[in-house]
Amino acid sequence: MSYKKVIAILMLCISMNICGANVLPPLIPAPNSVKFHEDGPFKLTDMVTIQFSTEELKPSAKTLKDILSKRFDLELVDNVAGDCVITLTLDSALRGDEHYRLHIDKNEIKINGATPEAVFRGVMTLAQLLPEKNSEGIIALSSMTIDDSPRFGYRALMLDPARHFLPADDVKRFIDLMAKYKYNVLQLHLSDDQGFRIKLDNHPELSGDQAYTKEELEEIIAYAKERYIEIVPEIDVPGHTAAILAVYPELGCLHQHSNPIELGKTQNRMLCASNENVYVLLRDIINEISNLFPSQYIHLGGDEAAIPANWAKCDACLELMKNSGYEDPSQLMIPFFGKLLASVKENNKKPILWCELNNIYPPADDFLFPYTDDVTLVTWRNGLTPTCIELTGNRGLPLIMAPGEFTYLDYPQMKNDLPEYNNWGMPITTLTKTYQLDPGYGLPDEKQAHIMGVMGTLWGEAINNIDRATYMAFPRALALAEAGWTQMENRDWESFKERMYPVLYQLMKEGVSFRVPFEIARQNNQSSK
Ligand code: TNX
């Protein structure tokens, strides 16, 4: 190799920050394999054309064109021959729904994927690789081949427009951000004590002004679909139901609660397990939601049910308990969810529930009630995840990882950071902590085989607009994206930090509100002293 070539490669290394221990370009999540080549670079000009092998790839081509237009004012044409091309191809040699290969050399950029979804993930990788124009005004992409597929097929974030409503356009903005980092599920927590946020045809009385119309939801679903993100709806029952009970107080347990139910203020009240009308209403709700959302999943909550203050004090519930041969009111969860899950099944959907154990703090050694085989659970309570993994593993139930210690993005990122209101003494979840999540909890393969993936939650008590949501989400959602996508052997905190800065720089240029992780810079200074 000539002396000049060596210098050129070295300069390239420095400009891409790939010298030393850190050999990755600034991509989050880190891909499985990157090989650099010596030829190149590929110069992105308006002479470049985009070609795609089938109509199914047109949305990905359009997404790429939009990105280039927005970022560089470059208007590329598609499906005409050219000397320099970006080709998008469905490739049956690749395996796995999201497996893609991105190849860049002097003459072309090729994105091959097993499916249209995989090609889209590759387009998102290319978008992150796009450099600034160099001093000659040229957009030059280094030559490399990336081969990549995710560790987990379920990589979710959750928004909570129930606590504070978030307009549809803001949800779409959030979906754009999720797509960049290869998230593929957005759970919408659509009902809680503060509001029922879908304007249903069969029960419009349940929601107020701040609710999504069906048309808005259809738009959100379609927008997400174009970005290969699935929307999973959540209606939270039998607790967290003051919004339903404010409209139908008679559906609560009729015992000594004398205070009227106030939207947003009343907590710890529950739907009555022994009132048949509860199941009629919930069946209507499940039917309509199932028709509206194409996802195979519907989340029905099941968390933080204040059983001692409700079912345990309700004569009708206690009678039902006795007649059913149960000894504890919490066993009424069995017929409660038994009926709901029958409605879910009728609609060919699969239920998801928050995992509750027989204690809310460790130690706990069993489920709160026996979950049936068709349920997918989400682990969330601090300290209880190892038990949830074990119990679901033994029972063969799929598990989504949202352990509070790592993935609760509503918690402050540092002491004295936001949220400054409605903070109930939340623990701190630092960026470092989130990055430390191994969704398999270090278990042997066979003990983590039932783990589907991860979810970061943005509970909305203290998140009253989308800028707050993105501030709480980022940069921790970058760390979580990597936990969900990247194999453990390719994960490295120092490398993540290096890759994070250019990613944050892009977010800054797009005007996205995020938290600057000052404390990480401080760590760098200290370690270099
Ligand atoms: C617990 S996580 C809840 C939510 C709250 C959250 C606040 C879960 C299943 N239930 O209702 O918003 O804590 O962090």
Side-chain angles (χ1 to χ4, degrees), residues 476-497:
R476 290 178 299 186
L478 299 176
L480 189 62
E482 189 146 308
W485 181 278
T486 308
Q487 300 291 339
M488 284 313 284
E489 64 263 31
N490 295 331
R491 290 183 52 199
D492 178 75
W493 169 240
E494 293 301 324
S495 156
F496 173 78
K497 280 197 295 184

Side-chain angles (χ1 to χ4, degrees), residues 158 160 163 189 192 234 236 240 299 301 303-304 354 356 380-381 408 410-411 424 426 457 459-461:
M158 191 208 81
D160 176 7
R163 263 51 179 272
H189 182 76
D192 213 299
E234 179 190 354
D236 199 352
H240 290 276
H299 196 309
D303 61 309
E304 296 182 321
W354 300 108
E356 285 288 21
W380 59 280
R381 283 192 189 271
Y408 267 40
D410 55 321
Y411 294 171
W424 40 263
M426 297 172 181
T457 53
W459 295 104
E461 290 96 326

Side-chain angles (χ1 to χ4, degrees), residues 53-332:
S53 66
T54 95
E55 278 298 294
E56 283 175 286
L57 299 179
K58 203 170 178 175
S60 285
K62 181 174 181 306
T63 302
L64 182 56
K65 285 198 322 191
D66 289 348
I67 290 168
L68 295 174
S69 158
K70 203 165 151 197
R71 187 144 163 219
F72 302 111
D73 250 336
L74 256 187
E75 306 298 334
L76 300 195
V77 286
D78 54 32
N79 273 0
V80 296
D83 288 341
C84 271
V85 285
I86 301 175
T87 57
L88 310 184
T89 311
L90 277 189
D91 183 346
S92 56
L94 299 176
R95 294 270 168 260
D97 286 352
E98 296 179 275
H99 185 186
Y100 72 91
R101 207 169 277 157
L102 167 63
H103 175 85
I104 304 174
D105 65 29
K106 198 164 184 276
N107 299 317
E108 64 176 342
I109 296 179
K110 286 194 290 192
I111 301 177
N112 287 25
T115 61
E117 180 180 0
V119 171
F120 182 82
R121 304 288 173 231
V123 167
M124 290 298 106
T125 298
L126 176 59
Q128 280 191 40
L129 285 175
L130 295 170
E132 299 301 315
K133 284 184 182 168
N134 68 17
S135 52
E136 285 144 33
I138 293 170
I139 306 160
L141 283 127
S142 308
S143 182
M144 68 181 90
T145 303
I146 293 178
D147 195 300
D148 199 16
S149 60
R151 178 176 175 197
F152 294 101
Y154 196 97
R155 304 176 305 277
L157 291 178
M158 191 208 81
L159 283 178
D160 176 7
R163 263 51 179 272
H164 287 102
F165 188 62
L166 297 166
D169 283 344
D170 289 347
V171 175
K172 289 191 200 163
R173 259 183 71 197
F174 194 77
I175 288 170
D176 278 332
L177 289 171
M178 289 178 65
K180 275 177 192 282
Y181 310 113
K182 301 187 171 65
Y183 282 100
N184 63 355
V185 175
L186 170 61
Q187 179 168 322
L188 287 180
H189 182 76
L190 289 166
S191 75
D192 213 299
D193 294 331
Q194 292 79 353
F196 189 95
R197 306 296 187 182
I198 312 188
K199 184 71 50 204
L200 292 176
D201 287 343
N202 60 14
H203 289 286
E205 73 283 3
L206 287 173
S207 50
D209 292 342
Q210 292 200 314
Y212 302 116
T213 62
K214 282 175 84 166
E215 290 69 31
E216 279 173 321
L217 283 168
E218 276 161 3
E219 253 183 54
I220 291 174
I221 292 163
Y223 191 85
K225 191 174 173 213
E226 279 173 27
R227 287 149 186 83
Y228 296 91
I229 291 175
E230 179 175 318
I231 307 287
V232 171
E234 179 190 354
I235 297 297
D236 199 352
V237 292
H240 290 276
T241 39
I244 299 177
L245 290 169
V247 180
Y248 293 113
E250 68 278 15
L251 296 186
C253 292
L254 298 176
H255 53 95
Q256 74 279 20
H257 284 311
S258 52
N259 48 330
I261 291 169
E262 276 187 80
L263 198 63
K265 292 200 176 138
T266 305
Q267 290 179 339
N268 293 335
R269 298 280 281 269
M270 286 169 67
L271 297 171
C272 183
S274 60
N275 184 336
E276 279 312 309
N277 290 331
V278 165
Y279 302 104
V280 174
L281 175 69
L282 292 181
R283 188 161 183 247
D284 285 350
I285 293 174
I286 290 170
N287 287 346
E288 194 166 333
I289 286 179
S290 297
N291 284 331
L292 183 57
F293 290 85
S295 172
Q296 60 170 328
Y297 292 111
I298 177 165
H299 196 309
L300 292 174
D303 61 309
E304 296 182 321
I307 295 169
N310 293 273
W311 293 353
K313 287 193 178 150
C314 165
D315 289 342
C317 285
L318 290 173
E319 196 181 325
L320 175 64
M321 179 183 95
K322 252 219 234 99
N323 293 343
S324 310
Y326 299 140
E327 285 157 9
D328 190 290
S330 65
Q331 289 172 289
L332 291 175

